[in-house]
Amino acid sequence: MIRDYEQYDIDEIVRIYTLEYKAMPAEIEALKSASKILVYDDNGIQGFIHLAMSGSYCYVEMGAAANELIRPVGLKLWEEAKKLFIEKSINFIQVFHVKDNLNWQELFNEIGFKYWYSVYRFSYEGDKFNEPNIHAVKYEDKYYQDKIRLESEAFSVVRRENDIKPYNWYLGASEEAIENNRKETLEEKEYIYLFFENNEMIGASMVKNAEIDLLFVNIKYQGKGYGKKILEFTVNRGLEQNKAGVNLNALASNEKALKLYKNIGFEVVQAQDSRRLFIK
């Protein structure tokens, strides 16, 4: 049967979630605190669907206890989720799946999802770098406007290449979204570093639980070696959090970033595809 999850289900849901997907700690914590998860229970949880709904958008995560259950259990969970999409007026749905799993590909093709873009999961398991010669400061709220403006500009090209809207997040976001982002950024201030040259911000990074969640270089300073310095600095801080290694995710189309990561010793450990579905 399909039912809403109970708190006692969460350990099994996480176990299924991480059977093949190399999830970040933040993703696991988000799943544990999710407000809407449906499970397929047949003498134990055989699969789940996590629905993170916001306005007319829904981010979906699915898992199955075994590969052969992906299609039959996935389709049943999807049929139940569709009722909620109608009820909540959801018209845009996004999902990720491990790239080389044909069972997930076939399921989402059958439902009607279209390929959107790919993401690589990188891992670094080497030693610390010589501390780079770069001026770093911890984040403070007074830097927010400069940080989010430069960050949005830096990512706008790759977002446009992958049709991720708004292309420039800062220019396209609502005042409410910007204020929420500002509060969330302040809550994570201990993990965010800003980098300066002649009192001008040249980039920023964030590393928490040895996961690099943010790294960008001001467009004005790109191509001058600052990306490598910021990355090495951030890896060093990550290794202080977990000496076993540091991880990050990167868009597969971002060739300059991929080359930088590989050149300093990061290796691809998993590839994922993002798919999207528009409901009329």
Side-chain angles (χ1 to χ4, degrees), residues 52-58 81-93 277-280:
M53 294 174 278
S54 176
S56 61
Y57 167 80
C58 183
K82 281 169 62 177
K83 299 174 185 177
L84 289 169
F85 298 151
I86 294 170
E87 177 185 332
K88 302 293 184 180
S89 299
I90 300 294
N91 56 37
F92 177 41
I93 304 167
L277 174 67
F278 295 97
I279 300 176
K280 297 180 180 179

Side-chain angles (χ1 to χ4, degrees), residues 17-266:
Y17 182 55
T18 55
L19 279 174
E20 64 170 353
Y21 175 48
K22 299 182 184 299
M24 290 187 174
E27 292 173 313
I28 293 174
E29 290 307 310
L31 185 63
K32 288 181 176 180
S33 61
S35 59
K36 191 64 178 179
I37 302 176
L38 301 175
V39 298
Y40 185 87
D41 192 342
D42 183 9
N43 294 317
I45 296 174
Q46 305 301 312
F48 74 88
I49 183 168
H50 168 214
L51 308 170
M53 294 174 278
S54 176
S56 61
Y57 167 80
C58 183
Y59 175 65
V60 168
E61 294 178 308
M62 298 183 74
N67 260 328
E68 62 270 19
L69 296 175
I70 288 175
R71 183 180 179 278
V73 171
L75 287 174
K76 289 172 181 170
L77 286 165
W78 182 257
E79 287 303 312
E80 194 66 24
K82 281 169 62 177
K83 299 174 185 177
L84 289 169
F85 298 151
I86 294 170
E87 177 185 332
K88 302 293 184 180
S89 299
I90 300 294
N91 56 37
F92 177 41
I93 304 167
Q94 180 181 11
V95 67
F96 282 89
H97 66 84
V98 174
K99 189 178 186 70
D100 56 4
N101 190 319
L102 295 177
N103 292 289
W104 287 117
Q105 291 181 30
E106 291 172 359
L107 171 66
F108 293 124
N109 284 340
E110 184 171 345
I111 291 171
F113 279 88
K114 303 297 183 184
Y115 172 81
W116 193 358
Y117 57 82
S118 296
V119 173
Y120 289 139
R121 175 111 164 114
F122 281 89
S123 182
Y124 175 85
E125 298 179 355
D127 297 326
K128 267 189 165 185
F129 297 96
N130 293 328
E131 204 64 32
N133 180 24
I134 191 167
H135 178 51
V137 300
K138 283 286 189 72
Y139 175 80
E140 294 181 46
D141 187 60
K142 66 182 180 180
Y143 297 119
Y144 179 75
Q145 290 294 336
D146 278 348
K147 172 189 171 293
I148 196 62
R149 176 178 57 83
L150 295 173
E151 177 183 335
S152 297
E153 287 177 358
F155 286 120
S156 62
V157 173
V158 72
R159 287 175 68 94
R160 182 179 295 276
E161 290 172 350
N162 290 276
D163 194 31
I164 301 172
K165 297 177 180 178
Y167 302 139
N168 184 311
W169 185 86
Y170 179 62
L171 296 180
S174 66
E175 290 185 9
E176 180 182 6
I178 290 173
E179 186 59 29
N180 287 338
N181 179 263
R182 183 172 194 153
K183 292 176 181 177
E184 291 168 1
T185 303
L186 188 59
E187 289 173 358
E188 303 288 0
K189 66 179 182 179
E190 287 302 311
Y191 309 102
I192 300 172
Y193 298 89
L194 308 175
F195 304 91
F196 290 86
E197 184 80 33
N198 297 323
N199 296 317
E200 185 173 9
M201 191 181 300
I202 59 173
S205 68
M206 174 179 172
V207 58
K208 181 180 180 181
N209 296 321
E211 301 280 350
I212 298 177
D213 294 321
L214 169 69
L215 193 151
F216 78 86
V217 177
N218 181 339
I219 288 177
K220 178 180 174 181
Y221 288 90
Q222 289 180 6
K224 299 180 180 181
Y226 288 106
K228 183 173 183 289
K229 290 183 178 182
I230 292 174
L231 180 58
E232 290 180 347
F233 175 95
T234 309
V235 168
N236 285 351
R237 304 292 79 77
L239 290 172
E240 291 167 1
Q241 298 168 3
N242 180 5
K243 63 182 180 181
V246 179
N247 302 303
L248 61 81
N249 287 336
L251 285 165
S253 66
N254 194 351
E255 295 181 0
K256 289 183 180 178
L258 302 187
K259 182 178 180 180
L260 172 60
Y261 301 148
K262 292 176 181 178
N263 282 347
I264 76 161
F266 276 87

